[in-house]
Amino acid sequence: MNERRNSIVLGLIAGAAGVLVVLGATALIIVYTGAYNVAATEEHAAVTRWAFDTTFHHSVERRAATFVPPDGLTPTAGAAAYKAMCQHCHAGPGVEQADWASGMRPRPPHLMEAAADWELSEVFWLVRHGVKMSGMPAFGPTHDDETIWSIAAFVKELPAMTPERYAALGGSQAQ
């Protein structure tokens, strides 16, 4: 009976190793032949979009959990910085993205809707660290945490903000 069990276990291990070799070889073929289209004029395949989006959300959630917002945040303090640094990609209430942002893949989300899905600490983390292969730069190396927290707090206010209120805050920034 032990010999039969050992044979089954060895067969399972050999089968799993075979599957891994085939998957690895397939991945190398895709990488080295250029079979995956990296053009920003084409949308990602559904499975690729799912993999990127799922990884993105779980990664941000995990890393942002250690950040605690400072006391006394004034959400409107981040308005001018948002308009200067973020509006061209992410739009604002009553303001569209810059035309060129529509050619980015993945497309930058309209934060008037997307901000509701993120915690304040997660928005802070995203602004501070950016996102690889998305066009979202890391502002942490060039901006202090106080500025980044104010931008994050402003972003969290966007879903409830009217176009008139948005226009009145932080001056106007041309796209």
Side-chain angles (χ1 to χ4, degrees):
M1 188 68 165
N2 277 342
E3 281 184 38
R4 181 174 161 89
R5 186 177 304 155
N6 288 344
S7 294
I8 291 172
V9 169
L10 285 175
L12 288 173
I13 291 171
V19 167
L20 290 176
V21 167
V22 168
L23 288 174
T26 301
L28 286 173
I29 290 168
I30 291 169
V31 168
Y32 282 104
T33 63
Y36 183 78
N37 185 355
V38 298
T41 53
E42 302 292 324
E43 293 289 343
H44 288 294
V47 69
T48 306
R49 189 173 42 254
W50 170 85
F52 285 165
D53 191 57
T54 303
T55 301
F56 169 68
H57 279 86
H58 288 285
S59 178
V60 172
E61 184 179 293
R62 178 179 179 188
R63 285 160 180 81
T66 61
F67 291 96
V68 178
D71 292 330
L73 273 179
T74 307
T76 57
Y82 178 88
K83 287 180 176 183
M85 298 162 31
C86 312
Q87 173 178 285
H88 49 273
C89 287
H90 297 289
V95 178
E96 294 298 319
Q97 295 173 314
D99 287 341
W100 55 263
S102 66
M104 297 175 73
R105 299 291 180 275
R107 290 186 181 190
H110 283 87
L111 294 179
M112 291 82 63
E113 297 90 25
D117 297 334
W118 295 97
E119 297 296 324
L120 178 59
S121 60
E122 294 169 341
V123 175
F124 170 81
W125 190 92
L126 285 163
V127 175
R128 186 179 203 219
H129 295 284
V131 181
K132 291 177 183 176
M133 295 175 27
S134 74
M136 173 64 191
F139 290 106
T142 56
H143 294 77
D144 61 31
D145 281 357
E146 182 180 350
T147 301
I148 295 171
W149 277 114
S150 70
I151 293 168
F154 183 74
V155 166
K156 287 298 293 173
E157 296 290 315
L158 288 174
M161 195 173 292
T162 65
E164 296 78 22
R165 175 87 172 127
Y166 182 79
L169 294 172
S172 68
Q173 296 288 329
Q175 291 190 47

